Amino acid sequence: MVATGLVALAASAPATADEYRLSNNQRIACSRGMSPGRLVTATCRSYAYLFNVKTSEYFRCVVSLAMTRDNKEVINVQTDGGCFRRPRIFDTDGDYQFDGAETEPANTNAFFGPGGYVVWAADTKQRRVRGCITIASGLGDDVAKCVDMTFD
């Protein structure tokens, strides 16, 4: 009786697990700083993207770790992270592939702050590719634009 109920529950549950894919282009950037009293702080941050291959909606995920130590021991470790919903790339549902990349601070691409990121999406059923790039404006909201690729 219990097994029958579980089978019925499993059959009625939507198969959404196959709709999400993790980007293949994760990056990590680390920095190090000296503080008074010979303290050293190292901070590492990494980004990844979780994409819905049906709707083209995606989440930008970040994880960070900061470690402070002196010459003898680790004094403090702090971690943070989360995923933040971003808008759809295409207006209609389909069968999409995705990838994303971050600028790695500090570099010449980061004029106004931590830099930016790009997300690429392709429709697997037709020759259709869109690139969306976002940079920090330094004035509040990020600036984001998407461009449909042309094929010559």
Side-chain angles (χ1 to χ4, degrees):
M1 184 101 142
V2 173
T4 306
L6 290 175
V7 170
L9 181 62
S12 67
T16 59
D18 291 340
E19 292 179 4
Y20 288 94
R21 300 281 188 274
L22 188 64
S23 65
N24 296 319
N25 196 7
Q26 299 87 29
R27 295 279 190 248
I28 185 169
C30 298
S31 64
R32 191 171 60 168
M34 300 287 284
S35 301
R38 293 198 172 293
L39 295 179
V40 177
T41 300
T43 304
C44 293
R45 183 173 298 209
S46 181
Y47 297 91
Y49 299 87
L50 182 67
F51 296 102
N52 185 315
V53 298
K54 181 179 177 184
T55 67
S56 78
E57 174 184 69
Y58 68 100
F59 295 84
R60 182 173 180 254
C61 302
V62 61
V63 62
S64 65
L65 182 140
M67 176 196 65
T68 303
R69 68 172 180 85
D70 61 15
N71 290 335
K72 297 179 183 181
E73 65 181 330
V74 173
I75 298 170
N76 187 17
V77 175
Q78 296 178 347
T79 57
D80 193 15
C83 294
F84 306 94
R85 182 186 300 256
R86 306 303 299 169
R88 292 173 69 130
I89 295 173
F90 293 104
D91 292 337
T92 58
D93 287 357
D95 186 12
Y96 301 109
Q97 289 183 341
F98 297 88
D99 210 350
E102 298 277 333
T103 59
E104 297 190 25
N107 62 38
T108 57
N109 294 325
F111 296 116
F112 307 113
Y117 64 94
V118 64
V119 175
W120 288 94
D123 189 333
T124 63
K125 302 295 184 193
Q126 56 186 321
R127 191 172 67 178
R128 185 172 158 194
V129 177
R130 184 171 285 172
C132 300
I133 191 163
T134 302
I135 64 168
S137 70
L139 301 173
D141 292 339
D142 293 344
V143 175
K145 294 291 180 182
C146 293
V147 176
D148 288 319
M149 299 293 109
T150 60
F151 295 87
D152 295 329

